[in-house]
Amino acid sequence: MSPQDNHRQGVIVTGAEEHQGLAVVRGLGMRGVPVVACGSQPRSLAFYSRFATARHVYTSPFVDPRRFVDDILHIARTSGARLIIPSVESTLVVLDDHRTEVEQQCRLAAPATETLEVALDKLRTLELAERVGVPAPKTVHGATGRAILEAAKGLRFPVSLKPRGHALYDKTKNALGFKVKYATTLEQLEGLLEPLGKNGVYPLVQEYAPGTGVCVAAVCDGGRPIALLPYRRVREVPLTGGVSVLRRSLPPDPRLNEYVTSLLGALRWHGVAMVEFRYHAATDRYVLMEINGRFQASTALSIDAGLNLPYLVYALYSGLPLERSYPYRPGVEERWLRGDVGSLLAALVGDTARSAIADPERRLPSRPRLLLDFLRGFRPGMKYDEFRLNDPGPGLIECAEIGRAIFQFLRSRVRR
């Protein structure tokens, strides 16, 4: 099939319920690619985009992975699409697990299984970092809580507790039910580990890395970077660290480029990736957090900075011509407004841990300062994940969701 024929067939995009799924749909649609938007919810955000040429609801992979795959295969058959772009990790993990079956029907725009195995397993990611000389936090693991506690005596506290990988990935399956927890003493760590023994799966324990989140979004061709976009996480939800709700594109950084190129080059990475670091200004040091084999939550930022990563991934897997590198605009700021509202409301009622970690760079400001910083976010030039004048539908849906969140917040306060 020629690239032109593939272009006419269109692309299935999973994760339409998330804002990065919306960004992928928009990025492809802006370049004239027919997009089959697929999500786990009937009111998935990207369903309201004018760039979605078809819309389908699938069974959530968390509910029934097999039915999810069957749904995707049915959508591929009925839509005629010949490429699947997973925009969220849950769909990536399950589709890769059934890759042979899926690719008999539709090509999967994802790195090879053996490559993903390293990225999806945080322990293997850290081992790779050590081999290629990329700084990473000291980490311990073990089959029992006692073994972990013994090894943790050699760590500098505070420490982070993290699942080794995604809950749906066969080699790191877990029922831990959290993304990260913190312990400031060995005794506190013992208390956190004790109830986990019944599951038979323990998290990784890692020295806490102080600083701010700096990420690099990348598209690679067999390990060679085609496009690199570094950005800083200015604000997150929760405020103590999580998904970025306000970010800013950064100028190219030779040291970051070297780290990312070393990691993804060693894996012969093919497709999109997001490599996350923590930057400590006092020591001018980056440390690796993780490698993600999916579109980052900040995908809309790349498009507004002049770097259409979704289209580059489409072109890469469709055999279309690509340049050796692609420029972008530093200093562009992008905001996920619903997430920013959520983080503010949580902080105002004290639901965010305000002093869990003794990290001056991440110490939360006072509530009046938090509110002022939130309002300052409405400054001229700010871009938004959801709101586009040429694609107003998703923004209207987000306004309704934001209004609902504020109403529920106010109602809960009145009841108290």
Side-chain angles (χ1 to χ4, degrees):
M1 179 181 293
S2 71
Q4 289 76 17
D5 289 336
N6 194 27
H7 186 94
R8 285 196 293 269
Q9 293 291 338
V11 180
I12 291 172
V13 175
T14 67
E17 69 276 10
E18 301 292 345
H19 55 289
Q20 64 262 44
L22 171 62
V24 174
V25 169
R26 282 173 165 168
L28 296 171
M30 289 163 56
R31 294 299 301 268
V33 179
V35 182
V36 182
C38 301
S40 62
Q41 301 171 15
R43 288 172 54 86
S44 292
L45 189 61
F47 287 179
Y48 299 90
S49 172
R50 72 180 183 88
F51 295 113
T53 56
R55 300 155 184 84
H56 293 275
V57 178
Y58 52 64
T59 302
S60 168
F62 290 103
V63 173
D64 190 330
R66 180 63 252 181
R67 282 187 59 191
F68 162 72
V69 173
D70 289 341
D71 288 346
I72 290 295
L73 291 173
H74 175 73
I75 293 167
R77 285 192 297 269
T78 57
S79 68
R82 289 294 178 265
L83 184 67
I84 303 172
I85 297 182
S87 74
V88 292
E89 192 167 67
S90 58
T91 61
L92 169 67
V93 168
V94 176
L95 290 170
D96 176 68
D97 193 40
H98 296 82
R99 185 187 287 254
T100 301
E101 179 183 5
V102 169
E103 292 205 319
Q104 290 176 356
Q105 178 71 39
C106 207
R107 189 175 186 191
L108 182 62
T113 297
E114 57 270 23
T115 298
L116 284 175
E117 285 177 348
V118 178
L120 291 170
D121 185 334
K122 288 184 174 64
L123 184 59
R124 293 190 62 184
T125 300
L126 294 170
E127 291 169 348
L128 170 67
E130 184 177 7
R131 288 200 304 273
V132 300
V134 174
K138 189 175 179 181
T139 304
V140 300
H141 64 100
T144 66
R146 185 54 50 194
I148 294 174
L149 286 171
E150 187 63 30
K153 292 178 181 178
L155 297 181
R156 182 185 68 251
F157 280 76
V159 295
S160 307
L161 290 76
K162 301 177 181 179
R164 182 168 168 175
H166 198 279
L168 292 177
Y169 178 50
D170 276 343
K171 297 184 179 179
T172 60
K173 275 185 177 179
N174 66 83
L176 294 173
F178 64 87
K179 288 188 175 181
V180 62
K181 290 186 177 182
Y182 302 103
T184 56
T185 65
L186 193 65
E187 292 73 22
Q188 191 176 9
L189 174 61
E190 183 175 13
L192 290 173
L193 290 174
E194 185 176 358
L196 303 180
K198 60 184 179 182
N199 295 322
V201 177
Y202 287 92
L204 301 178
V205 177
Q206 186 175 80
E207 287 185 349
Y208 177 76
T212 56
V214 174
C215 304
V216 181
V219 174
C220 293
D221 181 2
R224 179 181 67 84
I226 299 170
L228 296 175
L229 175 78
Y231 60 93
R232 179 182 173 224
R233 293 178 163 186
V234 179
R235 193 157 57 239
E236 297 170 297
V237 55
L239 289 169
T240 48
V243 178
S244 69
V245 297
L246 180 61
R247 10 36 217 199
R248 180 185 303 118
S249 59
L250 300 173
D253 183 320
R255 187 170 26 154
L256 268 182
N257 288 355
E258 179 183 350
Y259 290 160
V260 172
T261 300
S262 296
L263 290 165
L264 299 183
L267 292 171
R268 297 188 60 79
W269 196 277
H270 196 72
V272 70
M274 188 274 275
V275 188
E276 181 183 346
F277 297 86
R278 189 67 62 81
Y279 176 68
H280 190 216
T283 58
D284 186 31
R285 184 170 184 258
Y286 291 101
V287 294
L288 176 69
M289 292 288 101
E290 60 183 1
I291 302 173
N292 290 301
R294 54 168 172 78
F295 280 94
Q296 72 280 9
S298 308
T299 300
L301 172 64
S302 73
I303 296 173
D304 283 322
L307 191 57
N308 191 333
L309 295 181
Y311 182 75
L312 290 184
V313 170
Y314 164 79
L316 178 67
Y317 281 90
S318 299
L320 298 175
L322 289 167
E323 304 294 334
R324 290 195 61 82
S325 63
Y326 289 85
Y328 66 92
R329 293 187 298 277
V332 176
E333 292 184 310
E334 188 94 21
R335 192 181 193 188
W336 176 33
L337 186 57
R338 178 157 54 98
D340 208 5
V341 169
S343 67
L344 174 67
L345 296 180
L348 291 178
V349 299
D351 290 345
T352 299
R354 304 184 68 82
S355 58
I357 296 296
D359 181 355
E361 294 188 35
R362 299 177 68 81
R363 190 170 296 160
L364 298 183
S366 65
R367 288 181 174 86
R369 178 60 186 272
L370 283 171
L371 181 58
L372 181 61
D373 287 347
F374 174 84
L375 294 175
R376 283 176 174 169
F378 293 100
R379 55 187 171 271
M382 179 67 69
K383 307 293 184 182
Y384 291 87
D385 283 8
E386 313 93 333
F387 301 100
R388 294 286 188 280
L389 289 176
N390 67 345
D391 188 26
L396 295 174
I397 297 300
E398 281 293 275
C399 284
E401 293 298 324
I402 291 169
R404 184 178 295 109
I406 294 173
F407 173 76
Q408 291 175 348
F409 168 77
L410 294 174
R411 185 172 64 176
S412 68
R413 300 305 293 170
V414 169
R415 286 179 175 177
R416 290 185 184 182

